mmCIF file with all atom_site columns, all heavy atoms in Angstrom:
data_model
loop_
_atom_site.group_PDB
_atom_site.id
_atom_site.type_symbol
_atom_site.label_atom_id
_atom_site.label_alt_id
_atom_site.label_comp_id
_atom_site.label_asym_id
_atom_site.label_entity_id
_atom_site.label_seq_id
_atom_site.pdbx_PDB_ins_code
_atom_site.Cartn_x
_atom_site.Cartn_y
_atom_site.Cartn_z
_atom_site.occupancy
_atom_site.B_iso_or_equiv
_atom_site.pdbx_formal_charge
_atom_site.auth_seq_id
_atom_site.auth_comp_id
_atom_site.auth_asym_id
_atom_site.auth_atom_id
_atom_site.pdbx_PDB_model_num
ATOM   1  N N   . GLU L 1 28  ? -12.323 10.218 -11.936 1.00 0.00 ? 797  GLU L N   1
ATOM   2  C CA  . GLU L 1 28  ? -11.710 8.941  -11.895 1.00 0.00 ? 797  GLU L CA  1
ATOM   3  C C   . GLU L 1 28  ? -11.804 8.393  -13.411 1.00 0.00 ? 797  GLU L C   1
ATOM   4  O O   . GLU L 1 28  ? -12.880 8.396  -14.006 1.00 0.00 ? 797  GLU L O   1
ATOM   5  C CB  . GLU L 1 28  ? -12.497 8.057  -10.997 1.00 0.00 ? 797  GLU L CB  1
ATOM   6  C CG  . GLU L 1 28  ? -12.256 6.569  -11.149 1.00 0.00 ? 797  GLU L CG  1
ATOM   7  C CD  . GLU L 1 28  ? -10.784 6.201  -11.070 1.00 0.00 ? 797  GLU L CD  1
ATOM   8  O OE1 . GLU L 1 28  ? -10.257 6.588  -10.075 1.00 0.00 ? 797  GLU L OE1 1
ATOM   9  O OE2 . GLU L 1 28  ? -10.277 5.515  -11.937 1.00 0.00 ? 797  GLU L OE2 1
ATOM   10 N N   . ARG L 1 40  ? -6.054  -5.321 -4.578  1.00 0.00 ? 809  ARG L N   1
ATOM   11 C CA  . ARG L 1 40  ? -4.736  -4.778 -4.149  1.00 0.00 ? 809  ARG L CA  1
ATOM   12 C C   . ARG L 1 40  ? -4.408  -5.347 -2.753  1.00 0.00 ? 809  ARG L C   1
ATOM   13 O O   . ARG L 1 40  ? -4.883  -6.412 -2.395  1.00 0.00 ? 809  ARG L O   1
ATOM   14 C CB  . ARG L 1 40  ? -4.737  -3.268 -4.077  1.00 0.00 ? 809  ARG L CB  1
ATOM   15 C CG  . ARG L 1 40  ? -4.922  -2.614 -5.525  1.00 0.00 ? 809  ARG L CG  1
ATOM   16 C CD  . ARG L 1 40  ? -3.636  -2.615 -6.245  1.00 0.00 ? 809  ARG L CD  1
ATOM   17 N NE  . ARG L 1 40  ? -3.656  -1.865 -7.396  1.00 0.00 ? 809  ARG L NE  1
ATOM   18 C CZ  . ARG L 1 40  ? -3.430  -0.537 -7.516  1.00 0.00 ? 809  ARG L CZ  1
ATOM   19 N NH1 . ARG L 1 40  ? -3.328  0.135  -6.442  1.00 0.00 ? 809  ARG L NH1 1
ATOM   20 N NH2 . ARG L 1 40  ? -3.426  0.021  -8.629  1.00 0.00 ? 809  ARG L NH2 1
ATOM   21 N N   . ALA L 1 122 ? -8.046  12.725 -16.077 1.00 0.00 ? 891  ALA L N   1
ATOM   22 C CA  . ALA L 1 122 ? -7.431  14.056 -15.943 1.00 0.00 ? 891  ALA L CA  1
ATOM   23 C C   . ALA L 1 122 ? -6.249  13.899 -16.918 1.00 0.00 ? 891  ALA L C   1
ATOM   24 O O   . ALA L 1 122 ? -5.496  12.967 -17.073 1.00 0.00 ? 891  ALA L O   1
ATOM   25 C CB  . ALA L 1 122 ? -6.942  14.216 -14.611 1.00 0.00 ? 891  ALA L CB  1
ATOM   26 N N   . ASP L 1 283 ? -0.182  7.080  -3.655  1.00 0.00 ? 1052 ASP L N   1
ATOM   27 C CA  . ASP L 1 283 ? 0.866   6.686  -4.550  1.00 0.00 ? 1052 ASP L CA  1
ATOM   28 C C   . ASP L 1 283 ? 1.417   7.872  -5.379  1.00 0.00 ? 1052 ASP L C   1
ATOM   29 O O   . ASP L 1 283 ? 2.566   7.812  -5.934  1.00 0.00 ? 1052 ASP L O   1
ATOM   30 C CB  . ASP L 1 283 ? 0.544   5.516  -5.456  1.00 0.00 ? 1052 ASP L CB  1
ATOM   31 C CG  . ASP L 1 283 ? 0.678   4.219  -4.837  1.00 0.00 ? 1052 ASP L CG  1
ATOM   32 O OD1 . ASP L 1 283 ? 1.018   4.127  -3.569  1.00 0.00 ? 1052 ASP L OD1 1
ATOM   33 O OD2 . ASP L 1 283 ? 0.586   3.217  -5.459  1.00 0.00 ? 1052 ASP L OD2 1
HETATM 34 N N1  . APR T 2 .   ? -7.279  10.643 -14.151 1.00 0.00 ? 2079 APR T N1  1
HETATM 35 C C1  . APR T 2 .   ? -8.238  10.243 -13.313 1.00 0.00 ? 2079 APR T C1  1
HETATM 36 N N2  . APR T 2 .   ? -7.982  9.047  -12.560 1.00 0.00 ? 2079 APR T N2  1
HETATM 37 C C2  . APR T 2 .   ? -6.772  8.488  -12.564 1.00 0.00 ? 2079 APR T C2  1
HETATM 38 C C3  . APR T 2 .   ? -5.841  8.899  -13.473 1.00 0.00 ? 2079 APR T C3  1
HETATM 39 C C4  . APR T 2 .   ? -6.099  10.154 -14.331 1.00 0.00 ? 2079 APR T C4  1
HETATM 40 N N3  . APR T 2 .   ? -5.153  10.566 -15.196 1.00 0.00 ? 2079 APR T N3  1
HETATM 41 N N4  . APR T 2 .   ? -4.651  8.076  -13.396 1.00 0.00 ? 2079 APR T N4  1
HETATM 42 C C5  . APR T 2 .   ? -5.066  7.257  -12.369 1.00 0.00 ? 2079 APR T C5  1
HETATM 43 N N5  . APR T 2 .   ? -6.323  7.413  -12.015 1.00 0.00 ? 2079 APR T N5  1
HETATM 44 C C6  . APR T 2 .   ? -6.997  6.689  -10.946 1.00 0.00 ? 2079 APR T C6  1
HETATM 45 C C7  . APR T 2 .   ? -6.880  5.156  -10.873 1.00 0.00 ? 2079 APR T C7  1
HETATM 46 O O1  . APR T 2 .   ? -7.785  4.513  -11.867 1.00 0.00 ? 2079 APR T O1  1
HETATM 47 C C8  . APR T 2 .   ? -7.098  4.833  -9.551  1.00 0.00 ? 2079 APR T C8  1
HETATM 48 O O2  . APR T 2 .   ? -8.573  4.630  -9.341  1.00 0.00 ? 2079 APR T O2  1
HETATM 49 O O3  . APR T 2 .   ? -6.462  7.023  -9.702  1.00 0.00 ? 2079 APR T O3  1
HETATM 50 C C9  . APR T 2 .   ? -6.650  6.037  -8.754  1.00 0.00 ? 2079 APR T C9  1
HETATM 51 C C10 . APR T 2 .   ? -5.462  5.808  -7.910  1.00 0.00 ? 2079 APR T C10 1
HETATM 52 O O4  . APR T 2 .   ? -5.677  4.829  -6.881  1.00 0.00 ? 2079 APR T O4  1
HETATM 53 P P1  . APR T 2 .   ? -4.540  3.830  -6.249  1.00 0.00 ? 2079 APR T P1  1
HETATM 54 O O5  . APR T 2 .   ? -3.582  3.538  -7.297  1.00 0.00 ? 2079 APR T O5  1
HETATM 55 O O6  . APR T 2 .   ? -5.148  2.895  -5.475  1.00 0.00 ? 2079 APR T O6  1
HETATM 56 O O7  . APR T 2 .   ? -3.738  5.016  -5.435  1.00 0.00 ? 2079 APR T O7  1
HETATM 57 P P2  . APR T 2 .   ? -3.835  5.535  -3.972  1.00 0.00 ? 2079 APR T P2  1
HETATM 58 O O8  . APR T 2 .   ? -5.288  5.888  -3.658  1.00 0.00 ? 2079 APR T O8  1
HETATM 59 O O9  . APR T 2 .   ? -2.835  6.508  -3.806  1.00 0.00 ? 2079 APR T O9  1
HETATM 60 O O10 . APR T 2 .   ? -3.670  4.224  -3.064  1.00 0.00 ? 2079 APR T O10 1
HETATM 61 C C11 . APR T 2 .   ? -2.412  3.870  -2.811  1.00 0.00 ? 2079 APR T C11 1
HETATM 62 O O11 . APR T 2 .   ? -3.487  1.698  -2.372  1.00 0.00 ? 2079 APR T O11 1
HETATM 63 O O12 . APR T 2 .   ? -3.771  0.802  -4.412  1.00 0.00 ? 2079 APR T O12 1
HETATM 64 C C12 . APR T 2 .   ? -3.273  0.614  -3.197  1.00 0.00 ? 2079 APR T C12 1
HETATM 65 O O13 . APR T 2 .   ? -1.407  -0.516 -2.136  1.00 0.00 ? 2079 APR T O13 1
HETATM 66 C C13 . APR T 2 .   ? -1.816  0.291  -3.246  1.00 0.00 ? 2079 APR T C13 1
HETATM 67 O O14 . APR T 2 .   ? 0.009   1.743  -2.473  1.00 0.00 ? 2079 APR T O14 1
HETATM 68 C C14 . APR T 2 .   ? -1.309  1.668  -3.129  1.00 0.00 ? 2079 APR T C14 1
HETATM 69 C C15 . APR T 2 .   ? -2.241  2.494  -2.322  1.00 0.00 ? 2079 APR T C15 1
#
Side-chain angles (χ1 to χ4, degrees):
E797 167 55 53
R809 291 286 187 83
D1052 273 13

